[in-house]
Amino acid sequence: MQNILYTGRQTVPVVTMLLLALISSMPLSSSHAFEIFPMLNIIVIFYWTVYRPDLVPPVVLFLIGLMDDVVMGTPLGLMAGIFILLRGVTLTQRQFFIGKSFYVTWLGFSIISAFCICLIWVLVALFAGRLGIVITPFIKYVITLLSFPSAAWLLVRIQRYLVD
Amino acid sequence: MARGPLLFARVVRPIRSLWQRFAFVTLIGMAFSLMVADEVDIKVFKQIKTSAIYSVGTLLELGAETSTAARESFETLAELGKFKDELARLRLENNELKKWRHIAGSLNSQNIALRDLYNFVPLPTIKSITGRIISYSGGAFTRSILINVGSKKGARLGQAVMSSVALIGVLVEVTDEYSRVLLITDLNSQIPVKIQNSSVSGILIGDNSQLAKLFFLPQESVLAEGQVVTTSGRGGILPPDLPIGLVKKTEGLKLVVEPFDDWAQSGYVRVLNFKFSGTILVN
């Protein structure tokens, strides 16, 4: 029983990512609401990679990314590649974030997430053969950045009471 | 007796350490290969994607039904106070519609008589299949929706999809149970259109914003704000005269179209089963 509970706890990060991938695409009563919805999956991947990278295996992240591609309609492999890249870049900087204040982590997130969102925009434009507008992804980036503190607060609680 | 540890030491451990070293590069390479395979339309790969859409679609449909039920309950509770006024309004509207039904009937008879007189060849009948929206891509990088209408219900690639009043997109992926609709405002969307009651036609191309842009218009064409844009039917893929939106000029005099409907409100769309009868002979 203890083993089952322990295994269940270890899967909490993956479950949060899966749920977010599904919930973030649920149809709301207005399409405009999606314009201001933050990219929570990037926040969650960044957080778990910094604080519990052992619970975010790259293969699982890849599969969640593929699921995100199917949901979002992006070319299959695009979000999977972005998630792996996000994990890889965050892992290289992880030692810098550990033990530092929250604002340092937030600043690090702002740089890494800006890079990821720019890359998604470039790749989507490359496959479409045409440039899309910049303002919507920029708004999404700003909202994601502003949502980071509240999302991190929740994730800290989840880690404290469910995982560790 | 020592086979277990020996196997682990000689086989599993080296593989594991290799994987830990090259996982990042391997997975990035796989992601890139998948993107290229998706673009090139490899058949085997398409089947894998179809299975993935089916698996994800089942979960999304469950979630969509739950969220729709919750939303409708809240909306019903909020509107309880307005039922009496709404009922009075609907009665008035119904009486008005009854008058128009007689007029429509006589116009229809006249139309049939005129068609017989001139041997008019009508467009094929358009049947529609209603489906529920089960997911939306989010809007910043792609604009597409998944609906619970698949090939089993008659959906086919390239069919037009409408909200209650206007064209919203085209089917770009069809599986047995689910389909993906590429919205007209998506970066990859290109729809042949015309301006209603004029000979001006062009191509409507999306850019991932709330508006879509008009390209390839005739050089001397002059458009006015507020003109209705409809499908032209060129190419024979989409039915003609489906309303899309209104012409809206931006500050830089670029011609953009504001789509008519916020399709998200109803949560349902109609897939138009449109097909030209007969075949087109090509030399």
Side-chain angles (χ1 to χ4, degrees):
Chain A
M1 185 66 184
Q2 284 251 320
N3 282 341
I4 294 170
L5 278 172
Y6 176 77
T7 312
R9 281 189 188 171
Q10 304 300 294
T11 59
V12 164
V14 171
V15 168
T16 53
M17 284 184 234
L18 270 169
L19 283 174
L20 273 172
L22 292 173
I23 290 168
S24 61
S25 68
M26 279 210 186
L28 302 174
S29 59
S30 167
S31 61
H32 301 291
F34 288 93
E35 314 272 324
I36 56 169
F37 205 78
M39 291 185 77
L40 292 173
N41 43 15
I42 288 185
I43 296 175
V44 169
I45 292 168
F46 177 83
Y47 179 88
W48 290 120
T49 307
V50 170
Y51 296 108
R52 289 302 299 267
D54 54 316
L55 298 182
V56 187
V59 173
V60 173
L61 211 53
F62 186 82
L63 293 172
I64 292 173
L66 289 182
M67 194 179 84
D68 221 29
D69 284 322
V70 168
V71 168
M72 281 179 64
T74 42
L76 203 65
L78 191 144
M79 291 310 289
I82 294 292
F83 286 177
I84 296 296
L85 201 63
L86 172 63
R87 184 183 186 273
V89 170
T90 308
L91 269 180
T92 59
Q93 304 303 314
R94 184 175 169 254
Q95 291 306 320
F96 178 73
F97 294 133
I98 299 287
K100 299 283 193 314
S101 78
F102 169 75
Y103 296 102
V104 172
T105 314
W106 196 3
L107 178 66
F109 173 75
S110 69
I111 297 168
I112 294 174
S113 60
F115 169 68
C116 287
I117 288 173
C118 283
L119 191 59
I120 297 171
W121 184 85
V122 166
L123 287 172
V124 166
L126 205 64
F127 281 102
R130 184 167 34 254
L131 295 176
I133 59 162
V134 175
I135 189 72
T136 314
F138 178 72
I139 292 170
K140 204 125 176 127
Y141 166 68
V142 170
I143 290 169
T144 305
L145 205 56
L146 295 174
S147 308
F148 184 78
S150 9
W153 180 89
L154 185 63
L155 288 167
V156 163
R157 264 110 202 114
I158 291 174
Q159 184 182 357
R160 204 174 281 171
Y161 298 118
L162 286 179
V163 180
D164 289 338
Chain B
M1 285 294 269
R3 256 195 208 163
L6 199 65
L7 186 69
F8 184 81
R10 286 224 175 137
V11 179
V12 176
R13 196 181 280 162
I15 292 174
R16 192 190 275 182
S17 72
L18 258 177
W19 172 249
Q20 278 168 355
R21 245 196 242 175
F22 296 110
F24 178 76
V25 172
T26 308
L27 289 170
I28 293 285
M30 274 174 68
F32 183 73
S33 309
L34 283 171
M35 278 190 261
V36 170
D38 192 13
E39 274 306 296
V40 168
D41 272 352
I42 297 172
K43 196 175 175 185
V44 167
F45 178 79
K46 281 281 173 199
Q47 284 168 354
I48 296 169
K49 199 174 177 185
T50 301
S51 310
I53 291 174
Y54 176 76
S55 319
V56 174
T58 315
L59 289 169
L60 289 170
E61 193 175 5
L62 194 63
E65 278 178 16
T66 315
S67 73
T68 306
R71 182 164 50 93
E72 283 172 359
S73 308
F74 281 122
E75 281 172 4
T76 308
L77 285 169
E79 285 172 7
L80 271 175
K82 299 178 200 168
F83 272 170
K84 201 174 166 189
D85 293 334
E86 186 67 8
L87 195 60
R89 189 191 69 78
L90 284 169
R91 279 203 183 113
L92 278 171
E93 199 176 297
N94 196 28
N95 290 336
E96 194 63 31
L97 285 170
K98 276 178 188 169
K99 287 180 211 168
W100 278 103
R101 186 169 64 181
H102 297 299
I103 298 170
S106 67
L107 280 171
N108 192 35
S109 309
Q110 278 181 36
N111 198 7
I112 290 168
L114 283 167
R115 282 182 181 198
D116 282 337
L117 200 62
Y118 289 103
N119 289 324
F120 177 71
V121 179
L123 284 171
T125 317
I126 302 173
K127 293 179 190 170
S128 66
I129 317 157
T130 303
R132 183 205 287 275
I133 300 168
I134 60 172
S135 90
Y136 177 50
S137 68
F141 307 105
T142 57
R143 285 179 180 248
S144 68
I145 55 176
L146 276 177
I147 58 174
N148 65 347
V149 170
S151 54
K152 280 185 181 171
K153 291 183 185 170
R156 300 285 178 266
L157 272 179
Q159 284 175 336
V161 180
M162 291 189 64
S163 61
S164 51
V165 293
L167 179 80
I168 63 163
V170 168
L171 291 184
V172 291
E173 276 172 14
V174 177
T175 68
D176 285 345
E177 303 286 343
Y178 306 101
S179 303
R180 180 180 304 287
V181 181
L182 190 75
L183 299 179
I184 56 173
T185 47
D186 186 89
L187 200 56
N188 294 289
S189 171
Q190 297 180 47
I191 309 278
V193 298
K194 66 177 184 186
I195 309 301
Q196 200 178 50
N197 300 326
S198 83
S199 59
V200 175
S201 60
I203 305 285
L204 189 73
I205 300 178
D207 63 357
N208 282 346
S209 68
Q210 293 290 330
L211 310 171
K213 292 191 175 66
L214 283 169
F215 288 87
F216 306 113
L217 295 169
Q219 257 189 339
E220 284 127 19
S221 56
V222 176
L223 300 189
E225 202 163 323
Q227 279 182 297
V228 176
V229 177
T230 65
T231 50
S232 63
R234 288 193 180 179
I237 306 294
L238 299 178
D241 301 317
L242 296 178
I244 295 176
L246 298 174
V247 172
K248 180 179 171 178
K249 287 181 183 172
T250 63
E251 283 173 8
L253 290 180
K254 260 190 186 171
L255 287 167
V256 295
V257 173
E258 186 177 16
F260 270 130
D261 209 13
D262 185 9
W263 46 266
Q265 273 174 351
S266 67
Y268 290 89
V269 296
R270 292 180 293 135
V271 177
L272 299 188
N273 196 349
F274 172 76
K275 191 179 155 185
F276 272 118
S277 57
T279 51
I280 300 169
L281 298 174
V282 177
N283 279 330

